[in-house]
Amino acid sequence: MKDNLLKIIRVSKSFPGVKALDNVSLDVRPGTIHSLMGENGAGKSTLMKCLFGIYSVDSGEFILDGRKVLFANPKQAMENGVSMVHQELNQVHTRSVMENIWLGRFPGLPPLYVNHKKMYDNTKALFDELEISHVDPKAAIQTLSVSSRQMVEIAKAVSHDSKIIVLDEPTSSLTKIEVEHLFRIINNLKARGCGIIYISHRMSEILRISDDVSVMRDGKMVDTLPAASLTTDKIITMMVGRELSNVFPPKDNAPGETVLKVEGMTAQHVKLSDVSFELRKGEILGVAGLVGAGRTELLGGLFGLTTLKSGKIFKNGREIRTGKPARAMRHGFAMLTEERRATGIFGVLSVRENVTAANIKNYKRLRLCISAKKMSDDAEWAIGAFRIKTHSQHVLIRTLSGGNQQKAIFGRWMLTKPDVLLLDEPTRGIDVGAKYEIYQLMIDLAKQGKSIIMVSSELEELLGVCDRILVMSGGRKTGEVDPRATTQEEIMTLAAKYA
């Protein structure tokens, strides 16, 4: 057996004005899980995209199984035993699960004839092997939850019989049960001799499943160490270049009078039934629950994305009707959605255009044209206030890391000066340093009198940031708890009540 299944040797990559990778080297041993960590913008995903043939390198080499390779595109990479499950899912939403898995490899004689029965049988066999029993191979991808779509992508990677599988934030949308399922799959692949490159910001996962851990910072490789020799504090120090003594900022906001009152909110077409709660001025209200609990639907009902069947919403003592996002925005609501790529960014537009998109009416001059200067000033404010790593406000937002895209969306909504912020998984895919900045921002906004509702799948996050936590299960509210007096076990018990 060779010492290294994959050797990445002194790889460099630059984009206009930015050196994304600077002489980065990495060795992956067969039958190991090699975690890759770093802050957003550190170069982790860029390095993997160079390996996978999405980006061309400026210099450096890739040695796979003793053979020098340089893939021109992802198809070549997959044909040579390298698969990648991206953080932002790239799927054909209108096609079925099995068509997405075997895209470009349909059995039969495509395009003249596709053997759908064989494709179904192959998908079923693959799902049986991976113990994926809850996904119908014939279902359209767009009908699945984010977590189910994630499992489909992992199954697709396994279907290529790959030697190297790159998993970029694979657990960001998964429940604890699904995470355990994923870890079983990963360990089975490890036992086969595969090399797994695992990118994640979740320290507990890294320390639990990794054999080796490499940390990147500012496009350079800091170090590679055995996972057994590392602690959370050591990894954080390597990532950010300094000690981060507290994961959460002090909660020094003081909730006041009731700003928002919801009575009996029931949705028309989705699982959301008879939910009532109150939100106070300057309060951060967390929403906990398992996948399918109705958390996103609750935020959608407030912002006009979910059609309501019944219920009332009162703001500052007066009944309001949202019904559609534009009307909700006029009532002072802002919403940051869970799926950044699908419903957050405009990938073909610049950072400036993305940041200012929700505030465009304020840039009109004489109703005839748009003030480019006002847009630029606001974009510069957002870039500075949220520490968005970009060399210019004019670059396409899709070229930024996921965390920097998220910060840009946050900046977009702050420009609308909302009273109530609806945040759906606001720190998903964001590194520990940037998370702290987001938490501090939320607390600062609460101190200014803004009211925040935050959905999160991370219980530690809800306990560390929120003033109260509303727990949901099966589309219903099952309880409210005080973060200072509750436990994760109590929250999970309430979350599982109707699951």
Side-chain angles (χ1 to χ4, degrees):
M1 182 179 287
K2 298 179 178 64
D3 290 339
N4 292 303
L5 183 59
L6 172 70
K7 288 182 71 69
I8 299 175
I9 305 170
R10 300 180 67 80
V11 166
S12 293
K13 173 66 179 176
S14 293
F15 297 103
V18 177
K19 183 125 187 170
L21 298 173
D22 188 0
N23 287 316
V24 176
S25 297
L26 177 71
D27 294 340
V28 179
R29 297 178 292 133
T32 62
I33 300 170
H34 194 122
S35 290
L36 188 56
M37 303 196 72
E39 292 190 273
N40 289 109
K44 310 180 299 294
S45 294
T46 300
L47 179 64
M48 292 300 101
K49 287 176 180 177
C50 288
L51 168 66
F52 198 53
I54 295 174
Y55 296 149
S56 59
V57 299
D58 299 334
S59 61
E61 294 182 342
F62 298 99
I63 310 294
L64 177 64
D65 209 11
R67 183 170 56 95
K68 185 176 178 179
V69 295
L70 190 62
F71 305 126
N73 52 57
K75 184 174 184 292
Q76 277 188 14
M78 289 186 287
E79 288 171 349
N80 285 273
V82 177
S83 292
M84 183 172 178
V85 178
H86 299 270
Q87 179 183 352
E88 307 293 349
L89 300 177
N90 244 332
Q91 295 169 317
V92 185
H93 288 191
T94 56
R95 308 308 300 176
S96 70
V97 166
M98 61 185 188
E99 287 171 316
N100 272 271
I101 288 176
W102 304 103
L103 194 64
R105 304 175 290 157
F106 291 160
L109 295 171
L112 298 176
Y113 165 67
V114 174
N115 189 334
H116 285 87
K117 183 182 184 304
K118 186 175 182 182
M119 183 160 48
Y120 176 86
D121 291 341
N122 290 346
T123 306
K124 195 73 173 61
L126 178 65
F127 282 2
D128 288 344
E129 178 189 353
L130 300 177
E131 299 177 16
I132 300 174
S133 58
H134 63 288
V135 179
D136 179 2
K138 295 182 180 179
I141 279 285
Q142 63 188 0
T143 65
L144 303 185
S145 66
V146 177
S147 61
S148 293
R149 287 169 49 201
Q150 190 95 352
M151 296 305 286
V152 170
E153 279 300 286
I154 292 164
K156 180 178 179 179
V158 173
S159 74
H160 284 275
D161 198 23
S162 300
K163 302 169 187 174
I164 292 286
I165 298 179
V166 180
L167 301 174
D168 193 351
E169 295 286 353
T171 62
S172 59
S173 302
L174 304 186
T175 65
K176 283 192 173 182
I177 294 172
E178 289 166 329
V179 169
E180 294 300 325
H181 185 186
L182 173 64
F183 287 173
R184 287 198 301 274
I185 293 172
I186 290 174
N187 283 316
N188 286 338
L189 294 170
K190 174 182 170 180
R192 294 184 196 174
C194 291
I196 310 293
I197 301 177
Y198 191 92
I199 301 175
S200 177
H201 292 119
R202 295 183 175 179
M203 300 291 175
S204 58
E205 293 179 2
I206 295 297
L207 293 173
R208 177 182 165 189
I209 69 166
S210 304
D211 296 293
D212 302 305
V213 178
S214 292
V215 177
M216 296 182 66
R217 184 169 70 240
D218 299 328
K220 298 179 180 179
M221 185 62 69
V222 176
D223 205 354
T224 297
L225 295 169
S229 69
L230 292 171
T231 63
T232 297
D233 290 343
K234 173 67 173 173
I235 294 173
I236 291 174
T237 301
M238 291 169 69
M239 282 173 57
V240 302
R242 64 189 186 278
E243 290 190 12
L244 200 64
S245 55
N246 294 307
V247 177
F248 302 104
K251 289 194 288 188
D252 52 358
N253 55 307
E257 70 275 10
T258 298
V259 169
L260 191 71
K261 186 176 181 181
V262 175
E263 295 180 350
M265 181 183 284
T266 300
Q268 195 162 5
H269 304 295
V270 295
K271 196 181 285 187
L272 187 68
S273 178
D274 196 28
V275 176
S276 301
F277 65 94
E278 294 183 357
L279 176 68
R280 293 177 289 169
K281 183 175 182 179
E283 181 181 36
I284 302 175
L285 175 65
V287 183
L290 304 174
V291 171
R295 299 168 301 167
T296 295
E297 290 77 7
L298 175 65
L299 298 190
L302 293 170
F303 198 62
L305 295 172
T306 300
T307 303
L308 298 181
K309 183 178 181 181
S310 61
K312 295 180 178 181
I313 302 171
F314 298 89
K315 187 164 180 279
N316 295 323
R318 183 172 63 89
E319 185 176 358
I320 62 170
R321 296 184 185 277
T322 51
K324 58 176 104 173
R327 193 180 301 158
M329 288 169 64
R330 286 197 294 272
H331 285 299
F333 288 86
M335 183 170 175
L336 191 149
T337 59
E338 177 185 9
E339 293 192 66
R340 180 169 52 242
R341 183 170 182 176
T343 56
I345 66 166
F346 301 99
V348 297
L349 300 181
S350 68
V351 172
R352 183 184 77 164
E353 290 162 330
N354 271 271
V355 165
T356 57
N359 208 34
I360 202 73
K361 67 179 187 300
N362 290 332
Y363 307 124
K364 291 181 180 179
R365 295 178 61 190
L366 303 176
R367 298 185 180 180
L368 297 174
C369 57
I370 299 293
S371 171
K373 184 179 185 306
K374 279 187 177 181
M375 289 179 68
S376 293
D377 289 346
D378 278 356
E380 281 304 317
W381 171 83
I383 289 168
F386 297 95
R387 300 184 188 181
I388 302 169
K389 290 183 181 178
T390 175
H391 73 276
S392 166
Q393 60 178 258
H394 301 291
V395 302
L396 295 182
I397 196 167
R398 68 185 181 203
T399 65
L400 304 188
S401 68
N404 284 302
Q405 291 174 7
Q406 190 81 318
K407 291 180 190 177
I409 299 169
F410 226 102
R412 172 199 299 167
W413 287 115
M414 288 306 99
L415 287 172
T416 67
K417 297 180 171 57
D419 302 317
V420 179
L421 280 75
L422 310 173
L423 309 180
D424 197 351
E425 304 283 4
T427 64
R428 179 186 168 202
I430 291 180
D431 65 78
V432 65
K435 277 185 177 182
Y436 189 94
E437 294 174 6
I438 295 293
Y439 300 148
Q440 187 63 66
L441 171 69
M442 291 167 60
I443 291 169
D444 289 345
L445 290 169
K447 286 160 67 175
Q448 295 169 24
K450 308 292 185 187
S451 302
I452 299 171
I453 303 177
M454 178 178 74
V455 167
S456 176
S457 298
E458 297 187 31
L459 294 184
E460 297 90 345
E461 182 171 79
L462 293 173
L463 292 168
V465 179
C466 299
D467 301 297
R468 276 186 304 134
I469 301 173
L470 184 154
V471 188
M472 296 186 66
S473 179
R476 299 180 233 178
K477 173 184 166 183
T478 54
E480 283 184 18
V481 296
D482 182 344
R484 294 164 297 185
T486 191
T487 63
Q488 292 193 30
E489 289 73 21
E490 181 185 9
I491 295 174
M492 287 304 297
T493 300
L494 290 168
K497 188 171 183 179
Y498 300 115

